Every structure is written in C-alpha cells, then in structure tokens.
C-alpha cells in the first residue's frame, strides 16, 4: 500500500467513483445512496486513495451541523483488489484526524444487518454497536431506521486522544 | 396557511416524513434518496410545517462544509393538499434566513429534467439555471450528474440582502 497516495476528494472524482462502485459492488444500484452532493460540499472531510491516477478507495463523511462534537461517515468503498491491504484503515484514520481537529470527539456510521463483513470490520476498527430495538444473530438492530424495510446497525466510536 | 406552524426538523420526524412521502409522491421509492442522516445531523437548517401535529411540508438542507458561503437544499416536500398555499415559499424563506445568518450568500439545489413543475417553481422562487452540457426543451441540463442516467438541472440563487 506504500505506493498508494491519499488526497481530499473533489467533485471531479464523483463520476469515476460511481462507475467503479458498480464493479466493486457487483452491479447493485448505488447512485441513489451516493448523490454528488457529498463530493461537492464535504470535500474537506472526504478522501480518495489512488495509484497511477486510478481510484482504489474513497471515504465521504462530514461534521454534524446540529450535534456538537459528532462526525458522520456516510460511505466508504475499497476496490476488491485492495481488500485486507490496510486501505480502509488509512481512510478511516484520515477522517478521524481531520474531524478531531475540527472538534469532533465521536464518529458515527451505520450499515445493513445483512452486511456481516462490514459489521465485523467496524468492530475491528474500534466502533461499538449501539443498542437497538431488536437483535439479529446477536447484533443490535434499529428497525426501519432508513425507511420502511431499511433496518440498520448503528456504530459509534470515540476519537478522543 | 396562517394555522400552520414551522419549527426545526428533528430525528423523530424522519419516520413520519418517509411514510407520507410515499403518499405525496404516488409510491415512488424515495427512502434511498433521503436517508435519516439529514434528520440527524442537519436539524438547525431543516424545517417542518405542521398543523395539529400532522406534518404538511418539510425542507432539509445544510451549509456547505467545503464551499465557503454556499448552502444546499437537498429535499423539499409539501403535502398535495397544501400546494399553492405558500407552504413551500415559507420553507425556502426560513432556510434562506438561517443560512444567511451563518454566512451563506448563495443557495444551490437541483432537480431532474423531467420535473418541469419543480423547474418552473424554482425559477419563480428566484433561482437561475446553471449552464449545462446540453439542453432539453430549452432547459440547460448536466448529463449523468448524479450517476449514469441521472441527468440534473442545477439551480443557484443569491441570498444577499
């Protein structure tokens, strides 16, 4: 991974990211969940990892504007050819650092209960799972969190030094 | 409309909004475009209009975190029974005022080219259409703006006094 470089995300990255996401996630329709606004208005807290001009990973998130001291990660994607390379960890760490500088002491994010790989990954990254209104396979879940039928697992992590 | 009251949006409003949106928009799947995060982290710049505890309109938007002086409106919905009542105008004006206080001088938003009602509405509200890469029925359009096949019309409005 030493040969990958990290920089802040820009609006011009959006179309590249959307195109590769459809490959990385085997054709699931992602664009509705990831409108361009996250690449237009939250560039200071978003990052891409690239090698030879090819985007191999990205993270978009922001400082909460109504919850003081909180930051939120909306979307993280890493190319299948870079999995288990530490690329994801580099992106999360960069986010933790920039939002800590801006006054955040807590980072939140979420995933779907079916995404057991993501759940395990966030736990390894130091996130804890928030209590839910039900448990699925031992995991706390919030029913209909993102709309009808859209259950979510909620993560929280302190980033205080 | 004098009997409708306005207040800031809260996380608890989300489930009510998602349920009524499916009625207001005749069953189109909206939830993917409107995750709960907009009701969790941007409450200070979001508003609901309600009467007798019933939500009849809402707006969610935010201050840009990387474009100084810019604010962005992500989603506005008004109940069909309140159309042409000035409800939308009250929501936009409330947003303009709060983001102006926070240092915004420009507000941006967008819509789909097929949504001619929305295009005309934004023009009446003082928005101008940004130059695009093609024109559809005389309207400037950005091809694939929000992903493949997701053309958008981009609006901008000065809110300087």
């Amino acid at each position: 991974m030493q040969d990958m470089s990290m920089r802040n995300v820009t609006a011009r990255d959006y179309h590249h990211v959307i195109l590769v996401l459809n490959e990385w996630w085997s054709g699931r329709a992602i664009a509705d969940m990831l409108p361009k606004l996250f690449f237009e208005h939250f560039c200071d807290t978003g990052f891409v990892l690239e090698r030879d001009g090819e985007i191999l990973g990205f993270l978009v998130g922001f400082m909460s504007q109504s919850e003081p001291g909180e930051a939120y990660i909306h979307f993280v994607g890493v190319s299948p050819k870079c999995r288990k390379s530490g690329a994801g960890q580099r992106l999360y760490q960069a986010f933790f650092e920039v939002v800590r500088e801006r006054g955040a002491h807590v980072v939140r994010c979420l995933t779907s209960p079916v995404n057991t790989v993501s759940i395990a990954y966030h736990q390894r990254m130091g996130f804890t799972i928030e209590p839910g209104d039900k448990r699925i396979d031992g995991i706390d879940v919030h029913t209909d969190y993102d709309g009808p039928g859209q259950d979510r697992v909620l993560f929280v992590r302190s980033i205080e030094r």
Side-chain angles (χ1 to χ4, degrees), chain A residues 20-134:
Chain A
V20 294
L21 268 185
N22 283 324
E23 292 171 36
W24 298 353
W25 267 282
S26 326
R28 281 170 57 194
I30 301 288
D32 274 357
M33 296 161 60
L34 192 60
K36 192 176 184 183
L37 68 90
F38 291 100
F39 291 72
E40 289 277 1
H41 296 294
F42 303 105
C43 298
D44 299 351
T45 51
F47 299 93
V48 296
L49 276 172
E50 60 187 357
R51 184 169 50 206
D52 301 332
E54 181 189 3
I55 293 176
L56 296 171
F58 75 98
L59 177 154
V60 290
F62 51 80
M63 290 292 295
S64 178
Q65 290 186 357
S66 45
E67 294 294 331
E70 292 196 8
Y72 183 84
I73 297 173
H74 177 55
F75 215 106
V76 182
V78 173
S79 167
K81 58 186 164 188
C82 296
R83 300 271 161 84
K84 299 186 180 175
S85 68
Q89 190 169 7
R90 280 183 66 183
L91 292 164
Y92 279 83
Q93 288 297 343
F95 183 79
F96 295 162
E97 282 172 31
V98 69
V99 299
R100 190 192 285 126
E101 284 168 15
R102 292 171 178 228
H105 54 83
V106 156
V107 173
R108 295 184 185 280
C109 55
L110 53 76
T111 196
S112 297
V114 295
N115 200 341
T116 52
V117 172
S118 171
I119 294 168
Y121 184 81
H122 281 92
Q123 290 178 305
R124 284 198 304 276
M125 284 290 295
F127 287 88
T128 57
I129 295 173
E130 299 221 73
D133 61 289
K134 67 181 175 191

